[in-house]
Amino acid sequence: MHSVLCSDRLATVNYYADALVIDRPGQRLKEPEWAFLLNPNPVPAEVTLHAHYGDGIRTYAFHVPAERLLPVFMDALVQKNKIFGAKYVSSAPIAIQQTRLIEEEDRRTIRACFSVMAKPGPLPWQDDEELS
């Protein structure tokens, strides 16, 4: 598995629909997840993740230095075993890649690992007020 962090453009708003960390006691399959925030700009980026769960929204803040990549280990941050949609709002245009590993805990076997780019906003159906 390798990461390519390729996107068709940078954006101040990025979306990722299928965010999930699976880690249940006694369950063989575990799914840790990372978000990689790429800031190619000559200035730092202040980024807020709005995690949209079925029962509410939680926010998390990140500082991404200029011309740097910030890896975020989602397992240590978000609610486990609960799917959410991610909306990232940044002070500078960035790119975001989500990476998920699927492993069998008792066999130390990696079943799969994949990366998906977040979708840069605005989305075709969005109004401007939805972006902030």
Side-chain angles (χ1 to χ4, degrees):
M1 191 284 174
H2 67 281
S3 172
V4 292
L5 237 159
C6 60
S7 182
D8 63 349
R9 63 189 163 88
L10 303 174
T12 56
V13 179
N14 287 275
Y15 300 91
Y16 183 71
D18 182 32
L20 176 65
V21 172
I22 295 178
D23 188 2
R24 288 190 177 96
Q27 181 174 317
R28 287 180 60 205
L29 291 178
K30 308 290 182 195
E31 294 188 17
E33 189 162 292
W34 294 262
F36 295 92
L37 286 61
L38 173 66
N39 177 13
N41 301 291
V43 297
E46 302 306 322
V47 181
T48 302
L49 162 60
H50 302 266
H52 294 257
Y53 298 96
D55 59 356
I57 301 171
R58 298 235 170 113
T59 59
Y60 309 93
F62 311 102
H63 173 81
V64 187
E67 300 175 348
R68 293 291 181 263
L69 175 74
L70 177 69
V72 177
F73 186 50
M74 302 302 273
D75 296 45
L77 189 66
V78 300
Q79 292 180 357
K80 293 180 181 177
N81 309 309
K82 198 168 192 180
I83 196 164
F84 65 94
K87 175 183 174 183
Y88 294 89
V89 180
S90 176
S91 62
I94 62 173
I96 300 171
Q97 173 184 287
Q98 295 275 135
T99 297
R100 185 178 302 161
L101 176 70
I102 302 172
E103 59 188 350
E104 288 185 65
E105 184 179 68
D106 59 341
R107 295 179 64 195
R108 296 183 184 232
T109 301
I110 295 175
R111 302 284 270 174
C113 188
F114 58 92
S115 295
V116 177
M117 293 303 300
K119 176 72 174 158
L123 300 176
W125 60 83
Q126 276 186 313
D127 295 326
D128 288 339
E129 56 268 6
E130 286 182 312
L131 294 176
S132 55

